[in-house]
Amino acid sequence: MGIAWARDGSYLLSTGSDQTTRLHAKWISDGAASWHEFGRPQIHGYDLNCIDNIGGLQFVSGADEKLLRVFKEPKGTAEILSSLCGVKSAAQGTLPEAANIPVLGLSNKAIEGSAELPSNTRDHNDTDDPPDNARVRIPNQPPIEDELAKDTLWPESEKLYGHGYEISAAAVSHDGLLIATACKASSLDHAVVRIFETRDWRELKPPLVAHSLTVTSLRFSGDDRYLLSTGRDRQWSIFKKDDENPQVFLLEAKLPKAHSRMILSACWAPVEAGEVFVTGGRDKMYKIWNLQRTNNEPIHTMSASGPVTAVDILGGLIRDMVVLAVATETGELSVHLLEQETFLITLSYNLEDR
């Protein structure tokens, strides 16, 4: 139900209703490159709804529970990625060795030590306190299923509390200093956006109020000046960071009934393209908006073959063109090239055409 790239693009994290978070990276062997699962950082007891990369070898995820969990990469995963994928970690010497899940627990517990222990002699459910000298053996090929489940967990470093219902959305600012979160809601009191800072993991209060139902998507603009939220109430809202106090966000604009049905996804255009963003909804429409337009009308409105479940834009321009990807509930994925000035579509490509 969510994906997030590492800040340097070296690996991809995915999470979903199978109650796991998975790490995918590129393996180069005998001159051939292929993508494989190299880690299973989180094996949970709840369906996972959202994920984002914090940077500094950490990620945050939210599930059908009232808190978010922060995980830190262990030394075992760092060594696997370094050995097989060429992904180097400058902080490898300070990382915990590995992690396990205690019996009847949901929090991954760090394991410290230096002696190597073969993976087939360990089981993360055997005991609450595994041997302190446990260490993951580095394979010479992508880990197999048994190794993924036992040896590639990430230790949990923080929990973020504050929401009253299951987590629905999370986003990390591009500088990695702030985390915006939301939960499932049927009233104004719970349909708030909470901001946490990552230095000491405290919540910045008060929470941001704009929606009346579940917030479905949160996105920071490329320069982190704005936070965009969309919801089941068919509304988009934009909060602006205060110029004098960067830990304060103020409501800049909102548009009720921006779509005829709930809005499921949103994204920002690159900063050099202006204060432009895209929303996609269950009404089978995706719309392009400019924050500087005062008439509350979209720049363009396009129709899709089904409910639009995901939209995203490449972080930079390609030959002065904006690259937009659109995905629908029926599984269709299309890529569009838009002119930077007018945002008119000049070329569309449906991946089914391949």
Side-chain angles (χ1 to χ4, degrees), residues 321-337:
M321 304 290 284
V322 176
V323 183
L324 169 67
V326 179
T328 69
E329 192 175 62
T330 57
E332 295 184 5
L333 177 62
S334 57
V335 178
H336 310 274
L337 295 181

Side-chain angles (χ1 to χ4, degrees), residues 4-13 51-60 73 87 171-179 198 220-222 224:
W5 285 98
R7 290 305 170 100
D8 60 1
S10 58
Y11 60 80
L12 177 69
L13 293 167
I51 189 171
D52 206 352
N53 197 295
I54 300 174
L57 309 178
Q58 297 183 104
F59 73 87
V60 60
E73 181 179 314
V87 179
V172 178
S173 60
H174 293 81
D175 59 15
L177 298 179
L178 299 175
I179 304 174
T198 60
F220 284 93
S221 60
D224 290 332

Side-chain angles (χ1 to χ4, degrees), residues 27-29 38 80 83-84 137-144 147:
W27 178 44
I28 300 178
S29 177
F38 278 92
I80 291 173
S83 174
L84 301 182
R137 174 181 292 172
I138 307 304
N140 56 13
Q141 61 184 8
I144 61 175
E147 293 169 336

Side-chain angles (χ1 to χ4, degrees), residues 261-330:
R261 298 187 68 183
M262 72 176 74
I263 304 175
L264 298 174
S265 184
C267 63
W268 287 95
V271 174
E272 53 266 43
E275 296 170 346
V276 175
F277 59 96
V278 179
T279 58
R282 190 162 289 282
D283 57 1
K284 303 181 182 181
M285 297 288 180
Y286 54 103
K287 302 183 180 184
I288 303 175
W289 310 82
N290 190 328
L291 183 57
Q292 299 307 316
R293 296 186 67 165
T294 59
N295 60 1
N296 288 333
E297 293 293 329
I299 302 174
H300 301 294
T301 298
M302 284 78 70
S303 61
S305 59
V308 178
T309 54
V311 292
D312 207 357
I313 290 179
L314 193 67
L317 300 175
I318 295 182
R319 297 180 180 178
D320 295 327
M321 304 290 284
V322 176
V323 183
L324 169 67
V326 179
T328 69
E329 192 175 62
T330 57

Side-chain angles (χ1 to χ4, degrees), residues 174-328:
H174 293 81
D175 59 15
L177 298 179
L178 299 175
I179 304 174
T181 67
C183 73
K184 296 179 181 178
S186 58
S187 66
L188 190 67
D189 292 339
H190 291 286
V192 297
V193 176
R194 299 186 184 275
I195 305 290
F196 297 87
E197 59 88 28
T198 60
R199 285 197 176 99
D200 58 14
W201 307 104
R202 64 186 178 90
E203 182 184 350
L204 304 180
K205 295 187 177 182
L208 309 182
V209 179
H211 294 273
S212 58
L213 295 173
T214 300
V215 172
T216 56
S217 178
L218 292 166
R219 296 295 292 267
F220 284 93
S221 60
D223 56 7
D224 290 332
R225 292 181 61 215
Y226 298 102
L227 173 62
L228 168 64
S229 64
T230 63
R232 293 175 60 91
D233 55 4
R234 302 178 289 164
Q235 172 179 284
W236 58 253
S237 304
I238 292 179
F239 301 90
K240 183 180 180 181
K241 185 183 293 186
D242 187 75
D243 294 331
E244 297 181 357
N245 187 350
Q247 293 189 332
V248 173
F249 282 82
L250 302 174
L251 183 63
E252 177 77 1
K254 67 176 183 179
L255 183 61
K257 300 180 180 178
H259 284 248
S260 60
R261 298 187 68 183
M262 72 176 74
I263 304 175
L264 298 174
S265 184
C267 63
W268 287 95
V271 174
E272 53 266 43
E275 296 170 346
V276 175
F277 59 96
V278 179
T279 58
R282 190 162 289 282
D283 57 1
K284 303 181 182 181
M285 297 288 180
Y286 54 103
K287 302 183 180 184
I288 303 175
W289 310 82
N290 190 328
L291 183 57
Q292 299 307 316
R293 296 186 67 165
T294 59
N295 60 1
N296 288 333
E297 293 293 329
I299 302 174
H300 301 294
T301 298
M302 284 78 70
S303 61
S305 59
V308 178
T309 54
V311 292
D312 207 357
I313 290 179
L314 193 67
L317 300 175
I318 295 182
R319 297 180 180 178
D320 295 327
M321 304 290 284
V322 176
V323 183
L324 169 67
V326 179
T328 69

